[in-house]
Amino acid sequence: MAKRFRVDWDSYLDLFHAERPGVTDHVLSLALNGHHTPYRWLARTVSARATTVLDLACGGGTLTRELERPGRTVIGIDASAAELDLARRRGPGPWVRGDALRLPFADESLDAVVSSMGMVVIQPTSRLLAEVARVLRPGGMLAFVAPTVRPVSPSDVVLGANLTRRLRTLPRFPGPLEFTDFAATLRSHGLQKIEDGRERYRVTIRSRADAEMMISALYLPATSPARTDAAIAYLEAEVRDHGKVELPIPMRRIVALK
Ligand SMILES: C[S@@+](CC[C@H](N)C(=O)[O-])C[C@H]1O[C@@H](n2cnc3c(N)ncnc32)[C@H](O)[C@@H]1O
């Protein structure tokens, strides 16, 4: 196993999203559980009465667009200019370039804040939650989805081990993949957890191009091109032998009220 080194996450994320805008949107739009994506799962938490909604760390804006309704303003905020350029080309916005740790919104001005992946990417969590709690109106909702460690099946574990052997690491995030005692963390910011669910999504790989896209969407700050090539070659060989590979993406959805 490669030595775990300290990652300069700010620089890594800036470069990753400048070079690969929309890659997360692309992969999560292909991630299915039945017929729905994690974006649809998250969008369902937002009340029809919510008229001002913020999509935090919106990336290319797929979730933002999923939330659009007549009479509702859905604002997408992200730190990456390249991601926002893509979002702007795809939908009306408003799109805001900014730091989720210093939200450019008035106190108690939003009905709902949602985020796909933002909670495992933006650190420190306590500062992020303090900002979210500040901008939510009383009774407003925070909901997010984030990748996590379960549910997985026994065959998922084998596939994960085979990929990890090639990459010599798991995909990494600035924040933890398993939130512990998160209800207490939310409470300390005046937020009450009302739901905590898990679903297993899967992305079907049918070609080398699919495998390249999937591996390129992972945060792998310590991994050399030779290792990512080995992982892609492994997936390609599996596709050749079995016709397809189903890559699991276990996700957790947490909903809280202010
Ligand atoms: C894994 S992507 C998720 C994008 C999108 N939510 C999705 O699920 O498709 C993480 C996003 O967080 C953004 N980001 C990272 N740090 C941020 C910060 N401090 N404030 C706002 N956005 C940030 C990145 O630019 C990137 O677009």
Side-chain angles (χ1 to χ4, degrees):
M1 185 68 64
K3 203 171 153 202
R4 201 169 168 86
F5 73 99
R6 210 180 145 72
V7 179
D8 174 355
W9 278 109
D10 286 347
S11 306
Y12 181 80
L13 293 173
D14 278 357
L15 189 63
F16 182 99
H17 290 283
E19 287 178 342
R20 302 172 212 187
V23 73
T24 313
D25 297 70
H26 189 67
V27 165
L28 291 187
S29 297
L30 296 173
L32 293 175
N33 174 15
H35 293 293
H36 75 270
T37 66
Y39 297 128
R40 176 67 51 85
W41 191 37
L42 180 53
R44 281 183 191 151
T45 62
V46 179
S47 154
R49 290 189 300 277
T51 57
T52 321
V53 179
L54 177 66
D55 179 6
L56 197 81
C58 64
T62 306
L63 170 66
T64 331
R65 289 187 298 281
E66 180 98 33
L67 289 161
E68 278 163 14
R69 301 281 182 283
R72 177 188 286 171
T73 302
V74 190
I75 306 158
I77 187 167
D78 200 279
S80 162
E83 294 282 6
L84 286 172
D85 282 350
L86 182 67
R88 211 168 274 125
R89 287 200 296 275
R90 290 174 169 174
W95 307 106
V96 178
R97 186 166 182 209
D99 183 355
L101 298 173
R102 285 179 217 89
L103 291 173
F105 306 107
D107 296 358
E108 304 189 350
S109 57
L110 303 174
D111 295 321
V113 175
V114 298
S115 189
S116 163
M117 314 283 288
M119 210 51 70
V120 289
V121 171
I122 301 164
Q123 295 292 301
T125 304
S126 61
R127 253 180 79 194
L128 179 60
L129 289 176
E131 266 304 81
V132 169
R134 179 183 69 73
V135 298
L136 276 178
R137 66 161 172 79
M141 182 200 72
L142 164 67
F144 65 88
V145 289
T148 187
V149 295
R150 62 184 167 81
V152 284
S153 69
S155 61
D156 294 342
V157 175
V158 174
L159 177 62
N162 285 334
L163 276 174
T164 306
R165 197 170 320 126
R166 271 90 185 167
L167 293 169
R168 305 274 175 93
T169 177
L170 290 167
R172 292 173 68 179
F173 292 93
L177 269 189
E178 212 27 57
F179 297 106
T180 46
D181 212 8
F182 201 63
T185 309
L186 288 165
R187 258 196 318 276
S188 69
H189 294 283
L191 300 164
Q192 178 76 34
K193 187 171 92 169
I194 58 163
E195 195 210 285
D196 187 349
R198 290 169 190 267
E199 297 277 3
R200 176 184 174 278
Y201 290 83
R202 59 189 161 70
V203 173
T204 305
I205 310 282
R206 296 180 197 280
S207 63
R208 181 178 172 89
D210 289 349
E212 287 171 345
M213 178 271 300
M214 185 68 220
I215 297 296
S216 77
L218 304 176
Y219 291 154
L220 295 165
T223 308
S224 67
R227 297 206 191 294
T228 53
D229 285 351
I232 291 164
Y234 164 70
L235 290 172
E236 191 183 17
E238 288 293 292
V239 169
R240 206 166 40 237
D241 291 349
H242 306 289
K244 62 179 181 178
V245 181
E246 299 213 321
L247 270 182
I249 307 186
M251 298 288 275
R252 190 169 179 187
R253 183 178 80 176
I254 291 183
V255 184
L257 292 180
K258 176 169 166 184

